[in-house]
Amino acid sequence: MLSILAAGSVFFPGLFLLSKQCLKSIPGLRWSEGDAVIVSARLVSSIQAIMASTAGYIISSSCQDIIEDQHWLTCSYILFAVPYFVYDIYAMFLCYWHKLQVKGHEVDNGSRSKAVAVAGYLRREFLMILHHVVMVTACFPISVFWRQGKGDYFQGVMFLAELSTPSVCLGKILIQYKQQHTLLHKVNGAVMLITFFLCRVLLFPYLYYAYGRYASIPFYQVPFVVPWQCNLGAGLLMAPQLYWFSLICRGALRLFTGRSSRSRKPTAPVKPEYEGHEGMPQSANGYSTQMGGRDTPTMSH
């Protein structure tokens, strides 16, 4: 167990540092520190998502009995991925810190400036940070110890939720380099909308349906049969997914209908905490949106 945790603790930060160094030093690239940090963080998130989705497919496709069948990869990947969520909290802060230093928002490296940046980061990314903390402090012990080896199939299906993460990360990178006008940006937006809906919004309804079919009971009766802890956990994990999906839908509406804030009734300008390269804060879905003149939180994965 400790060896797998140690491997994850080395792999994800090490991959981030390696990617950042390559982007800064490879001839023909030589990106700035800020660009290298932001793109490297997205790259690591995408790789973790691909690994989790692959593990999820292997686990779920190998379990014939969705309750009793076990697969060695289930607990192994959970242990390996736990350090990622700790690393990603710091990686998200580095991205936020470098975004503060874009033109017009230069900051120094003093302790006071960093304290202000940390406070702003905690406010802006509160939901995502809370999500990561819950994954480490609650989901990890529940998945490894409380389940007592039951329901590996369900755990594998939950890993498949990460299928939407690469498109979210690509969307943010495309915006960072002002590629909103490209066909790739629109195709990626459609892929992100579909995968997020299928893999995250429909995730728990599907798990309830799968259990109902296994237990030969109607779908609507499943919440009254499973332990209350399962209903509570599903509700807590489902709520932020619905919130993020609503932001994705708003971004997709703007992207595919061409609606812009210029067509709306003028309002008093509100200065965001930080601006992207295009002068507009990035939203949770990787597509620039403004809702009532307020920034929307970002989502990394």
Side-chain angles (χ1 to χ4, degrees):
M1 178 181 293
L2 291 179
S3 61
I4 300 177
L5 282 170
S9 300
V10 172
F11 178 78
F12 294 111
L15 182 61
F16 171 78
L17 294 174
L18 177 62
S19 173
K20 184 183 73 169
Q21 188 60 34
C22 289
L23 292 174
K24 291 172 59 179
S25 60
I26 292 179
L29 292 179
R30 298 192 180 279
W31 287 4
S32 67
E33 176 76 13
D35 285 344
V37 164
I38 293 170
V39 172
S40 296
R42 310 296 183 219
L43 176 63
V44 174
S45 294
S46 297
I47 290 176
Q48 192 282 140
I50 293 171
M51 294 173 65
S53 301
T54 302
Y57 174 77
I58 294 172
I59 294 166
S60 59
S61 62
S62 68
C63 294
Q64 300 300 320
D65 188 308
I66 65 174
I67 300 297
E68 299 297 334
D69 285 357
Q70 298 182 4
H71 195 285
W72 66 268
L73 192 55
T74 307
C75 288
S76 296
Y77 191 78
I78 292 172
L79 291 168
F80 182 75
V82 162
Y84 164 79
F85 293 99
V86 179
Y87 141 83
D88 197 49
I89 292 176
Y90 181 66
M92 288 192 299
F93 172 73
L94 288 180
C95 294
Y96 180 83
W97 174 255
H98 284 289
K99 287 177 182 178
L100 285 176
Q101 302 180 61
V102 299
K103 186 176 180 181
H105 295 79
E106 290 84 4
V107 294
D108 58 48
N109 292 319
S111 58
R112 184 177 182 277
S113 293
K114 286 192 175 181
V116 172
V118 169
Y121 165 68
L122 292 175
R123 288 195 305 271
R124 186 176 183 84
E125 300 286 359
F126 175 76
L127 188 58
M128 182 56 68
I129 294 171
L130 179 62
H131 171 268
H132 281 29
V133 170
V134 169
M135 292 296 291
V136 175
T137 60
C139 293
F140 164 61
I142 289 173
S143 298
V144 174
F145 303 110
W146 183 74
R147 290 190 309 115
Q148 297 181 343
K150 304 288 186 179
D152 279 20
Y153 172 82
F154 294 101
Q155 191 66 57
V157 173
M158 292 182 69
F159 285 161
L160 291 173
E162 293 293 336
L163 278 172
S164 64
T165 299
S167 59
V168 173
C169 294
L170 178 58
K172 291 186 175 184
I173 292 174
L174 291 173
I175 285 181
Q176 180 183 346
Y177 291 99
K178 303 180 182 179
Q179 298 300 306
Q180 299 94 317
H181 62 283
T182 62
L183 176 62
L184 176 59
H185 182 70
K186 292 185 177 181
V187 171
N188 183 70
V191 171
M192 178 175 60
L193 182 67
I194 294 170
T195 55
F196 199 96
F197 178 71
L198 293 177
C199 299
R200 291 182 180 265
V201 175
L202 294 185
L203 173 64
F204 288 102
Y206 169 76
L207 293 179
Y208 277 60
Y209 163 77
Y211 182 80
R213 186 177 58 178
Y214 172 82
S216 300
I217 59 176
F219 172 78
Y220 67 87
Q221 290 185 3
V222 175
F224 303 101
V225 174
V226 299
W228 66 268
Q229 297 94 331
C230 295
N231 292 322
L232 176 62
L236 293 176
L237 291 175
M238 185 71 174
Q241 311 305 327
L242 293 175
Y243 170 70
W244 287 322
F245 184 66
S246 71
L247 299 183
I248 291 175
C249 290
R250 296 190 185 203
L253 180 64
R254 182 183 299 275
L255 176 66
F256 293 109
T257 63
R259 292 176 55 193
S260 68
S261 57
R262 295 188 185 93
S263 63
R264 298 184 179 184
K265 185 177 179 180
T267 57
V270 178
K271 185 176 181 180
E273 290 183 40
Y274 68 84
E275 295 178 317
H277 293 277
E278 69 280 13
M280 184 178 291
Q282 293 183 10
S283 71
N285 53 23
Y287 292 87
S288 297
T289 63
Q290 278 186 304
M291 299 190 299
R294 295 168 55 188
D295 296 350
T296 57
T298 58
M299 183 172 69
S300 67
H301 71 274

